[in-house]
Amino acid sequence: MIYFLMTVCFFSTAVSAMAFVSFGTSSFPRPQCTVADSSLYQLMPFPMGASVGISRMKNNARYTEVVRKEFNSITAENAMKFRALHPAENTYQWADADFLVDFAQKNGKRLHGHTLNWYQYLPAWVNNFSGDSIAWENMLKDHIQTVVTHFKGKVTSWDVVNEYFNDDGTIRPSVWVKNLGPDYIARCFQYAHEADPAALLFYNDYGHEYSSAKRTAIGKLINSFKERKIPIHGIGMQFHMTYTLTDANISAAIDFAAATGLKVHISELDVRVNNNKVQGLTFTDAMAAQQADRYRQVVKTYNAIPKSQQFGITTWNVGDADSWVPSWQGAPDYPLPFDANYLRKPAYKAIIEGGK
Ligand code: 9MR
């Protein structure tokens, strides 16, 4: 009964004084959910995470409370990226990431590290670095091992390399590939493993749900790592998807990842609804329902893979107003399970249903 009360949503314009709040901002009759003292992660059969921004964690009590209450895994949205941690050649700045470590430890949350190596979010000194290949190698190794050592025993797992491939399965040009050759990716994993042998190491990317060429390339990379005994423990699939993505696309990605035998992290989930980039788009009940259905399908499909491979599902931030999507697509969107006021959307209930 308690479970029912915690998760029930219904359509009504009436708002019960005690147990129910409305959500959304339009004048349509809105689905309404209880705000009983439930917790998403406690209702799910695998870890549920969110990426978080440090300034919101510091300055927005409601945001922090939702993170504390609903999720048992957190990822820094930006605070552990190269430019954030290592802004000048001889300067590391740990304060923001350490703030998150402290929050995770005090609240019993798993902390997933994102990301040791990426072609983006690099400081100018790296992009302008003029050393030879040995100097580049030392710089790569120093960054990875200094960061992993700093967070040893505090960060459970790392996205070691992020977005190495293009959608067509070719290797994406980057300063790393240019200066170190394509196999630098294997050395990233070896360096991370040397620094913290207990950390779980992931290869993270997007597009598994729409590009079979990318899946094939990632599969080959993982096989080559296995053959060469390069340490890799997990595959991160970002899953920045639209609410029109088909069941078949969702299954193709998740089944592929499960077939690697590695742990599978749906690492940056969000479900956008503004396919046509309409300015001033209103989030309708129909969109909310379709979005919820897609969240349910992702969770349900993921829930069917072997338990030992379920590292968890992480949404990319918490509420709609926190999402990266609107600025990226240049148009509003509502991609997350919480609305701009951190009230639960139908997607929230759908996640729980998918996990049953
Ligand atoms: O959400 C992140 C945004 O705030 C940053 O400006 C951007 C650049 O660092 O990165 C965004 O997060 C990305 C993640 O690190 C990797 N996968 C794609 C995410 C969305 O762009």
Side-chain angles (χ1 to χ4, degrees):
M1 183 58 183
I2 289 169
Y3 179 77
F4 175 76
L5 278 175
M6 286 192 298
T7 61
V8 68
C9 292
F10 65 98
F11 283 80
S12 168
T13 49
V15 177
S16 155
M18 292 286 288
F20 300 102
V21 293
S22 68
F23 57 95
T25 50
S26 81
S27 56
F28 292 101
R30 304 297 301 175
Q32 299 174 9
C33 292
T34 67
V35 287
D37 193 26
S38 66
S39 165
L40 184 58
Y41 77 84
Q42 287 171 346
L43 297 172
M44 297 298 288
F46 42 73
M48 278 303 300
S51 77
V52 297
I54 304 303
S55 67
R56 281 181 170 80
M57 289 295 284
K58 287 181 177 166
N59 303 318
N60 184 334
R62 176 76 184 126
Y63 178 90
T64 307
E65 190 46 34
V66 171
V67 172
R68 192 194 322 272
K69 178 172 169 180
E70 304 280 7
F71 300 100
N72 58 350
S73 179
I74 49 180
T75 304
E77 184 177 20
N78 292 308
M80 292 189 186
K81 291 175 181 170
F82 203 126
R83 191 165 79 207
L85 291 179
H86 196 172
E89 189 165 359
N90 297 309
T91 308
Y92 283 87
Q93 58 186 19
W94 306 109
D96 280 355
D98 283 351
F99 176 87
L100 216 51
V101 167
D102 190 53
F103 175 86
Q105 291 188 333
K106 285 193 174 123
N107 293 284
K109 309 298 184 194
R110 183 177 75 184
L111 190 52
H112 176 69
H114 173 85
T115 174
L116 295 171
N117 182 271
W118 192 19
Y119 75 97
Q120 269 191 41
Y121 218 77
L122 294 169
W125 75 267
V126 170
N127 286 322
N128 299 330
F129 193 73
S130 60
D132 61 12
S133 63
I134 293 172
W136 270 93
E137 189 75 26
N138 288 339
M139 186 253 278
L140 176 81
K141 182 176 179 181
D142 168 77
H143 177 82
I144 290 174
Q145 297 204 324
T146 303
V147 171
V148 173
T149 301
H150 179 86
F151 296 109
K152 189 173 180 176
K154 299 167 179 165
V155 161
T156 307
S157 46
W158 283 102
D159 290 334
V160 177
V161 177
N162 191 44
E163 301 172 6
Y164 175 76
F165 291 111
N166 291 308
D167 282 356
D168 66 2
T170 56
I171 296 169
R172 186 191 293 279
S174 70
V175 291
W176 307 112
V177 173
K178 183 175 159 208
N179 290 286
L180 295 167
D183 202 41
Y184 92 93
I185 187 171
R187 301 198 294 282
C188 291
F189 282 77
Q190 288 171 318
Y191 294 150
H193 186 66
E194 274 170 30
D196 184 359
L200 297 173
L201 305 183
F202 285 73
Y203 172 69
N204 196 54
D205 212 329
Y206 65 86
H208 312 73
E209 68 280 10
Y210 61 77
S211 171
S212 64
K214 203 170 201 175
R215 285 197 298 271
T216 302
I218 293 170
K220 279 188 184 157
L221 177 79
I222 290 170
N223 285 339
S224 118
F225 276 20
K226 286 179 181 166
E227 280 161 18
R228 295 189 289 154
K229 307 252 184 290
I230 306 294
I232 183 167
H233 311 103
I235 174 167
M237 297 195 292
Q238 297 179 10
F239 257 96
H240 295 292
M241 58 181 266
T242 87
Y243 77 148
T244 48
L245 193 74
T246 65
D247 290 2
N249 283 58
I250 292 169
S251 294
I254 293 175
D255 294 349
F256 155 75
T260 66
L262 300 179
K263 291 191 183 300
V264 179
H265 186 198
I266 295 185
S267 55
E268 304 184 15
L269 180 62
D270 47 33
V271 182
R272 57 190 186 273
V273 299
N274 196 354
N275 289 8
N276 297 323
K277 304 189 184 358
V278 176
Q279 299 300 330
L281 182 81
T282 301
F283 189 59
T284 64
D285 291 340
M287 287 174 190
Q290 192 173 335
Q291 178 186 63
D293 183 64
R294 295 300 76 198
Y295 267 101
R296 186 186 301 103
Q297 188 65 24
V298 169
V299 175
K300 192 174 150 198
T301 309
Y302 182 79
N303 200 23
I305 73 172
K307 291 284 152 205
S308 60
Q309 287 180 264
Q310 292 173 352
F311 186 73
I313 295 184
T314 296
T315 60
W316 204 241
N317 225 314
V318 178
D320 285 337
D322 310 317
S323 172
W324 70 290
V325 171
S327 64
W328 166 71
Q329 70 181 4
D333 217 306
Y334 308 87
L336 288 163
F338 295 88
D339 73 7
N341 296 313
Y342 301 110
L343 298 174
R344 296 160 180 170
K345 293 163 59 182
Y348 177 95
K349 178 185 172 232
I351 290 172
I352 294 167
E353 287 167 356
K356 280 185 191 161

